[in-house]
Amino acid sequence: MLCGSLPCVSGGGLGRGRQLRDKLTQGRASRLRNQATDAERLLWRHLRRRQLAGFRFRRQVPIRGYVADFACLEAKLVIELDGGQHQSQVEYDVRRDARINVEGYRVVRFWNNQVFAETAAVLEVILGELLILCPHPDLPPQAGEGIL
């Protein structure tokens, strides 16, 4: 996926960074992929195989010592699904998101029940974020945007 004429992901990317070489985080990511929640499985059915506007997502991606539920590396977007336990760990999530943001990623969070009850709306929000972060080169500019 390209943003204009240049790839959206710049620099070393995750594939070349030390994040993927951390054996502990890699092992945790692998276990999490094998123990996906029902909400993660449902959302993955819609994100895998470039089904959402051609963007490629990965599941349980190690970033800065944390494991993101879903990540689109080309648009630098992380999707997190939160269950009830996240109500009591707000500070942890804020620190975690800040560390992931340092790598240039934007984190978007949804509650598990949103994925079940409002799947189409969740996908619309994700698509909107993708297009903000990595606009499609063939789309005309939005109202108010200038043409360079």
Side-chain angles (χ1 to χ4, degrees), residues 47-73:
L47 297 179
R48 68 184 184 173
R49 297 185 184 142
R50 296 184 180 268
Q51 292 180 77
L52 195 60
F55 287 95
R56 180 175 182 226
F57 278 87
R58 296 179 185 198
R59 296 183 305 147
Q60 306 302 341
V61 181
I63 302 173
R64 300 277 302 185
Y66 294 99
V67 180
D69 290 335
F70 302 97
C72 177
L73 304 184

mmCIF file of all heavy atoms in Angstrom, residues 47-73:
data_model
loop_
_atom_site.group_PDB
_atom_site.id
_atom_site.type_symbol
_atom_site.label_atom_id
_atom_site.label_comp_id
_atom_site.label_asym_id
_atom_site.label_seq_id
_atom_site.Cartn_x
_atom_site.Cartn_y
_atom_site.Cartn_z
ATOM 1 N N LEU A 47 -10.499 -8.328 9.197
ATOM 2 C CA LEU A 47 -9.252 -7.619 8.912
ATOM 3 C C LEU A 47 -8.253 -8.434 8.103
ATOM 4 O O LEU A 47 -7.431 -7.871 7.380
ATOM 5 C CB LEU A 47 -8.570 -7.190 10.225
ATOM 6 C CG LEU A 47 -9.327 -6.198 11.103
ATOM 7 C CD1 LEU A 47 -8.519 -5.906 12.361
ATOM 8 C CD2 LEU A 47 -9.644 -4.917 10.347
ATOM 9 N N ARG A 48 -8.319 -9.752 8.225
ATOM 10 C CA ARG A 48 -7.300 -10.579 7.582
ATOM 11 C C ARG A 48 -7.450 -10.560 6.064
ATOM 12 O O ARG A 48 -8.480 -10.174 5.518
ATOM 13 C CB ARG A 48 -7.357 -12.010 8.104
ATOM 14 C CG ARG A 48 -8.591 -12.746 7.712
ATOM 15 C CD ARG A 48 -8.593 -14.115 8.345
ATOM 16 N NE ARG A 48 -9.756 -14.848 7.878
ATOM 17 C CZ ARG A 48 -9.958 -16.102 8.141
ATOM 18 N NH1 ARG A 48 -9.096 -16.767 8.863
ATOM 19 N NH2 ARG A 48 -11.034 -16.698 7.683
ATOM 20 N N ARG A 49 -6.380 -10.982 5.410
ATOM 21 C CA ARG A 49 -6.343 -11.102 3.944
ATOM 22 C C ARG A 49 -6.692 -9.806 3.216
ATOM 23 O O ARG A 49 -7.353 -9.806 2.185
ATOM 24 C CB ARG A 49 -7.265 -12.222 3.479
ATOM 25 C CG ARG A 49 -6.853 -13.572 3.971
ATOM 26 C CD ARG A 49 -7.719 -14.652 3.391
ATOM 27 N NE ARG A 49 -7.339 -15.921 3.984
ATOM 28 C CZ ARG A 49 -8.197 -16.862 4.307
ATOM 29 N NH1 ARG A 49 -9.479 -16.705 4.086
ATOM 30 N NH2 ARG A 49 -7.767 -17.981 4.848
ATOM 31 N N ARG A 50 -6.273 -8.689 3.792
ATOM 32 C CA ARG A 50 -6.434 -7.360 3.150
ATOM 33 C C ARG A 50 -7.886 -7.051 2.797
ATOM 34 O O ARG A 50 -8.177 -6.411 1.794
ATOM 35 C CB ARG A 50 -5.562 -7.258 1.911
ATOM 36 C CG ARG A 50 -4.091 -7.344 2.199
ATOM 37 C CD ARG A 50 -3.272 -7.147 0.930
ATOM 38 N NE ARG A 50 -1.862 -7.238 1.189
ATOM 39 C CZ ARG A 50 -1.084 -6.206 1.472
ATOM 40 N NH1 ARG A 50 -1.575 -5.009 1.551
ATOM 41 N NH2 ARG A 50 0.201 -6.391 1.688
ATOM 42 N N GLN A 51 -8.824 -7.509 3.611
ATOM 43 C CA GLN A 51 -10.245 -7.302 3.318
ATOM 44 C C GLN A 51 -10.699 -5.864 3.532
ATOM 45 O O GLN A 51 -11.706 -5.450 2.965
ATOM 46 C CB GLN A 51 -11.103 -8.215 4.200
ATOM 47 C CG GLN A 51 -10.958 -9.676 3.863
ATOM 48 C CD GLN A 51 -11.812 -10.520 4.762
ATOM 49 O OE1 GLN A 51 -13.019 -10.587 4.562
ATOM 50 N NE2 GLN A 51 -11.191 -11.139 5.748
ATOM 51 N N LEU A 52 -9.979 -5.107 4.342
ATOM 52 C CA LEU A 52 -10.386 -3.733 4.631
ATOM 53 C C LEU A 52 -9.563 -2.781 3.768
ATOM 54 O O LEU A 52 -8.436 -2.418 4.109
ATOM 55 C CB LEU A 52 -10.210 -3.433 6.128
ATOM 56 C CG LEU A 52 -10.897 -2.193 6.649
ATOM 57 C CD1 LEU A 52 -12.416 -2.259 6.440
ATOM 58 C CD2 LEU A 52 -10.607 -1.994 8.127
ATOM 59 N N ALA A 53 -10.118 -2.423 2.618
ATOM 60 C CA ALA A 53 -9.510 -1.469 1.678
ATOM 61 C C ALA A 53 -8.091 -1.856 1.267
ATOM 62 O O ALA A 53 -7.291 -0.996 0.924
ATOM 63 C CB ALA A 53 -9.528 -0.061 2.267
ATOM 64 N N GLY A 54 -7.772 -3.132 1.316
ATOM 65 C CA GLY A 54 -6.460 -3.587 0.865
ATOM 66 C C GLY A 54 -5.347 -3.434 1.877
ATOM 67 O O GLY A 54 -4.194 -3.741 1.579
ATOM 68 N N PHE A 55 -5.656 -2.994 3.096
ATOM 69 C CA PHE A 55 -4.627 -2.839 4.117
ATOM 70 C C PHE A 55 -4.344 -4.183 4.772
ATOM 71 O O PHE A 55 -5.260 -4.943 5.067
ATOM 72 C CB PHE A 55 -5.063 -1.837 5.195
ATOM 73 C CG PHE A 55 -5.030 -0.411 4.731
ATOM 74 C CD1 PHE A 55 -6.173 0.194 4.232
ATOM 75 C CD2 PHE A 55 -3.860 0.322 4.798
ATOM 76 C CE1 PHE A 55 -6.147 1.504 3.807
ATOM 77 C CE2 PHE A 55 -3.824 1.636 4.375
ATOM 78 C CZ PHE A 55 -4.966 2.230 3.870
ATOM 79 N N ARG A 56 -3.071 -4.444 5.027
ATOM 80 C CA ARG A 56 -2.674 -5.704 5.651
ATOM 81 C C ARG A 56 -2.550 -5.516 7.161
ATOM 82 O O ARG A 56 -1.820 -4.638 7.626
ATOM 83 C CB ARG A 56 -1.344 -6.182 5.107
ATOM 84 C CG ARG A 56 -0.916 -7.491 5.736
ATOM 85 C CD ARG A 56 0.335 -8.032 5.124
ATOM 86 N NE ARG A 56 0.650 -9.306 5.744
ATOM 87 C CZ ARG A 56 1.858 -9.622 6.159
ATOM 88 N NH1 ARG A 56 2.868 -8.794 5.998
ATOM 89 N NH2 ARG A 56 2.062 -10.791 6.728
ATOM 90 N N PHE A 57 -3.245 -6.350 7.897
ATOM 91 C CA PHE A 57 -3.155 -6.353 9.352
ATOM 92 C C PHE A 57 -2.445 -7.610 9.814
ATOM 93 O O PHE A 57 -2.498 -8.650 9.153
ATOM 94 C CB PHE A 57 -4.556 -6.315 9.986
ATOM 95 C CG PHE A 57 -5.138 -4.943 10.048
ATOM 96 C CD1 PHE A 57 -5.844 -4.432 8.975
ATOM 97 C CD2 PHE A 57 -4.958 -4.156 11.170
ATOM 98 C CE1 PHE A 57 -6.381 -3.163 9.024
ATOM 99 C CE2 PHE A 57 -5.490 -2.882 11.228
ATOM 100 C CZ PHE A 57 -6.201 -2.381 10.157
ATOM 101 N N ARG A 58 -1.799 -7.490 10.958
ATOM 102 C CA ARG A 58 -1.184 -8.627 11.637
ATOM 103 C C ARG A 58 -1.816 -8.736 13.017
ATOM 104 O O ARG A 58 -2.249 -7.734 13.579
ATOM 105 C CB ARG A 58 0.317 -8.413 11.782
ATOM 106 C CG ARG A 58 1.025 -8.350 10.453
ATOM 107 C CD ARG A 58 2.491 -8.111 10.647
ATOM 108 N NE ARG A 58 3.126 -7.947 9.352
ATOM 109 C CZ ARG A 58 4.420 -8.056 9.164
ATOM 110 N NH1 ARG A 58 5.221 -8.323 10.167
ATOM 111 N NH2 ARG A 58 4.922 -7.893 7.959
ATOM 112 N N ARG A 59 -1.830 -9.951 13.552
ATOM 113 C CA ARG A 59 -2.363 -10.184 14.900
ATOM 114 C C ARG A 59 -1.229 -10.306 15.899
ATOM 115 O O ARG A 59 -0.186 -10.857 15.583
ATOM 116 C CB ARG A 59 -3.142 -11.502 14.967
ATOM 117 C CG ARG A 59 -4.354 -11.568 14.147
ATOM 118 C CD ARG A 59 -5.101 -12.875 14.329
ATOM 119 N NE ARG A 59 -4.268 -14.040 14.072
ATOM 120 C CZ ARG A 59 -4.380 -15.202 14.690
ATOM 121 N NH1 ARG A 59 -5.279 -15.376 15.620
ATOM 122 N NH2 ARG A 59 -3.601 -16.202 14.379
ATOM 123 N N GLN A 60 -1.480 -9.829 17.108
ATOM 124 C CA GLN A 60 -0.553 -9.979 18.232
ATOM 125 C C GLN A 60 0.874 -9.613 17.818
ATOM 126 O O GLN A 60 1.757 -10.452 17.712
ATOM 127 C CB GLN A 60 -0.631 -11.398 18.793
ATOM 128 C CG GLN A 60 -2.030 -11.834 19.177
ATOM 129 C CD GLN A 60 -2.687 -10.925 20.205
ATOM 130 O OE1 GLN A 60 -2.036 -10.167 20.914
ATOM 131 N NE2 GLN A 60 -4.014 -10.974 20.266
ATOM 132 N N VAL A 61 1.068 -8.327 17.579
ATOM 133 C CA VAL A 61 2.326 -7.809 17.057
ATOM 134 C C VAL A 61 3.159 -7.206 18.188
ATOM 135 O O VAL A 61 2.702 -6.292 18.878
ATOM 136 C CB VAL A 61 2.056 -6.721 15.991
ATOM 137 C CG1 VAL A 61 3.360 -6.187 15.425
ATOM 138 C CG2 VAL A 61 1.169 -7.265 14.897
ATOM 139 N N PRO A 62 4.384 -7.685 18.392
ATOM 140 C CA PRO A 62 5.253 -7.085 19.408
ATOM 141 C C PRO A 62 5.718 -5.686 18.980
ATOM 142 O O PRO A 62 6.226 -5.515 17.873
ATOM 143 C CB PRO A 62 6.453 -8.032 19.481
ATOM 144 C CG PRO A 62 6.029 -9.280 18.784
ATOM 145 C CD PRO A 62 4.982 -8.878 17.795
ATOM 146 N N ILE A 63 5.499 -4.709 19.865
ATOM 147 C CA ILE A 63 5.962 -3.333 19.634
ATOM 148 C C ILE A 63 6.435 -2.791 20.977
ATOM 149 O O ILE A 63 5.651 -2.719 21.927
ATOM 150 C CB ILE A 63 4.848 -2.422 19.087
ATOM 151 C CG1 ILE A 63 4.263 -2.963 17.785
ATOM 152 C CG2 ILE A 63 5.376 -1.001 18.879
ATOM 153 C CD1 ILE A 63 3.056 -2.196 17.277
ATOM 154 N N ARG A 64 7.711 -2.417 21.057
ATOM 155 C CA ARG A 64 8.276 -1.800 22.263
ATOM 156 C C ARG A 64 8.031 -2.634 23.525
ATOM 157 O O ARG A 64 7.729 -2.102 24.586
ATOM 158 C CB ARG A 64 7.731 -0.400 22.464
ATOM 159 C CG ARG A 64 7.986 0.600 21.378
ATOM 160 C CD ARG A 64 9.288 1.255 21.444
ATOM 161 N NE ARG A 64 9.498 1.958 22.720
ATOM 162 C CZ ARG A 64 10.554 2.684 22.961
ATOM 163 N NH1 ARG A 64 11.461 2.828 22.028
ATOM 164 N NH2 ARG A 64 10.718 3.270 24.110
ATOM 165 N N GLY A 65 8.137 -3.935 23.425
ATOM 166 C CA GLY A 65 7.986 -4.794 24.583
ATOM 167 C C GLY A 65 6.547 -5.125 24.929
ATOM 168 O O GLY A 65 6.286 -5.865 25.871
ATOM 169 N N TYR A 66 5.598 -4.591 24.196
ATOM 170 C CA TYR A 66 4.185 -4.883 24.390
ATOM 171 C C TYR A 66 3.687 -5.670 23.189
ATOM 172 O O TYR A 66 4.328 -5.675 22.137
ATOM 173 C CB TYR A 66 3.363 -3.592 24.505
ATOM 174 C CG TYR A 66 3.702 -2.792 25.740
ATOM 175 C CD1 TYR A 66 4.564 -1.709 25.672
ATOM 176 C CD2 TYR A 66 3.142 -3.120 26.968
ATOM 177 C CE1 TYR A 66 4.875 -0.973 26.803
ATOM 178 C CE2 TYR A 66 3.447 -2.393 28.107
ATOM 179 C CZ TYR A 66 4.311 -1.319 28.022
ATOM 180 O OH TYR A 66 4.612 -0.606 29.138
ATOM 181 N N VAL A 67 2.537 -6.305 23.341
ATOM 182 C CA VAL A 67 1.950 -7.042 22.229
ATOM 183 C C VAL A 67 0.628 -6.377 21.863
ATOM 184 O O VAL A 67 -0.313 -6.377 22.655
ATOM 185 C CB VAL A 67 1.728 -8.530 22.582
ATOM 186 C CG1 VAL A 67 1.108 -9.263 21.400
ATOM 187 C CG2 VAL A 67 3.043 -9.191 22.983
ATOM 188 N N ALA A 68 0.581 -5.786 20.674
ATOM 189 C CA ALA A 68 -0.633 -5.128 20.181
ATOM 190 C C ALA A 68 -1.577 -6.183 19.618
ATOM 191 O O ALA A 68 -1.133 -7.120 18.953
ATOM 192 C CB ALA A 68 -0.282 -4.113 19.100
ATOM 193 N N ASP A 69 -2.875 -6.022 19.874
ATOM 194 C CA ASP A 69 -3.847 -6.992 19.367
ATOM 195 C C ASP A 69 -3.787 -7.091 17.850
ATOM 196 O O ASP A 69 -3.708 -8.181 17.292
ATOM 197 C CB ASP A 69 -5.268 -6.622 19.805
ATOM 198 C CG ASP A 69 -5.487 -6.806 21.299
ATOM 199 O OD1 ASP A 69 -4.773 -7.620 21.924
ATOM 200 O OD2 ASP A 69 -6.379 -6.135 21.846
ATOM 201 N N PHE A 70 -3.853 -5.947 17.171
ATOM 202 C CA PHE A 70 -3.774 -5.897 15.712
ATOM 203 C C PHE A 70 -2.937 -4.694 15.316
ATOM 204 O O PHE A 70 -2.989 -3.651 15.968
ATOM 205 C CB PHE A 70 -5.165 -5.746 15.076
ATOM 206 C CG PHE A 70 -6.117 -6.838 15.430
ATOM 207 C CD1 PHE A 70 -7.029 -6.672 16.448
ATOM 208 C CD2 PHE A 70 -6.097 -8.044 14.745
ATOM 209 C CE1 PHE A 70 -7.908 -7.683 16.796
ATOM 210 C CE2 PHE A 70 -6.973 -9.061 15.082
ATOM 211 C CZ PHE A 70 -7.882 -8.884 16.115
ATOM 212 N N ALA A 71 -2.190 -4.816 14.226
ATOM 213 C CA ALA A 71 -1.420 -3.682 13.733
ATOM 214 C C ALA A 71 -1.383 -3.697 12.216
ATOM 215 O O ALA A 71 -1.227 -4.750 11.598
ATOM 216 C CB ALA A 71 0.003 -3.702 14.282
ATOM 217 N N CYS A 72 -1.547 -2.518 11.651
ATOM 218 C CA CYS A 72 -1.327 -2.309 10.224
ATOM 219 C C CYS A 72 -0.017 -1.546 10.138
ATOM 220 O O CYS A 72 0.038 -0.347 10.468
ATOM 221 C CB CYS A 72 -2.477 -1.512 9.610
ATOM 222 S SG CYS A 72 -2.204 -1.138 7.860
ATOM 223 N N LEU A 73 1.048 -2.223 9.755
ATOM 224 C CA LEU A 73 2.369 -1.617 9.745
ATOM 225 C C LEU A 73 2.482 -0.505 8.714
ATOM 226 O O LEU A 73 3.132 0.513 8.966
ATOM 227 C CB LEU A 73 3.441 -2.684 9.502
ATOM 228 C CG LEU A 73 3.453 -3.859 10.478
ATOM 229 C CD1 LEU A 73 4.620 -4.790 10.170
ATOM 230 C CD2 LEU A 73 3.473 -3.401 11.908
#
